[in-house]
Amino acid sequence: MHQLTTPREEQPLPTAATSTEDEAPAIEILQLRARNEQLERALISRAVIDQARGMVMALAPCSSHRAWGLLVEVSQHCNVKLRDVAAALVATANDETLPAPVRQELRRALRRLHTEDRR
């Protein structure tokens, strides 16, 4: 009788469970890399937001909490992400101009802040 398969061909084919088990570490690595990138972006955004908060505190002058609220208010009224408002404000230290909507809303927010302080 002729042998139809060689011993190598008789090895079991990988099953879905084996495949999934082999892929699990690779998937986990990809997820960890994505999480790491997300955390790096958050740290950078947080630093820029804190710098902008310091600038508002110097302009107003006001507490850190009130500066945060002012930046959030500007962000919401302009429909621009907080990190983008902060980055635009920090960029003014390098002679860049604030986008007109952000500049206008920042002026309004500062006026409201000053009005509240006078009460």
Side-chain angles (χ1 to χ4, degrees), residues 55-88:
M55 292 174 77
V56 170
M57 290 168 64
L59 287 171
C62 63
S63 70
S64 177
H65 180 72
R66 289 184 84 181
W68 173 267
L70 186 138
L71 289 170
V72 168
E73 188 178 319
V74 170
S75 168
Q76 290 174 345
H77 287 173
C78 293
N79 197 26
V80 176
K81 290 185 184 252
L82 178 61
R83 68 174 177 251
D84 295 336
V85 169

Side-chain angles (χ1 to χ4, degrees), residues 82-98:
L82 178 61
R83 68 174 177 251
D84 295 336
V85 169
L89 184 58
V90 170
T92 62
N94 294 325
D95 295 327
E96 292 187 31
T97 59
L98 276 174

Side-chain angles (χ1 to χ4, degrees), residues 37-48:
E37 289 173 12
Q38 179 185 13
L39 290 172
E40 284 177 7
R41 284 191 305 271
L43 284 173
I44 292 166
S45 292
R46 184 59 187 222
V48 171

Side-chain angles (χ1 to χ4, degrees), residues 7-67:
R8 184 177 193 100
E9 292 172 338
E10 290 176 5
Q11 293 177 353
L13 294 173
T15 63
T18 306
S19 232
T20 304
E21 289 172 8
D22 292 341
E23 293 172 359
I27 291 170
E28 184 177 3
I29 289 170
L30 290 174
Q31 290 171 338
L32 289 172
R33 284 182 182 162
R35 178 75 172 148
N36 188 39
E37 289 173 12
Q38 179 185 13
L39 290 172
E40 284 177 7
R41 284 191 305 271
L43 284 173
I44 292 166
S45 292
R46 184 59 187 222
V48 171
I49 292 168
D50 285 343
Q51 289 171 359
R53 188 188 315 191
M55 292 174 77
V56 170
M57 290 168 64
L59 287 171
C62 63
S63 70
S64 177
H65 180 72
R66 289 184 84 181

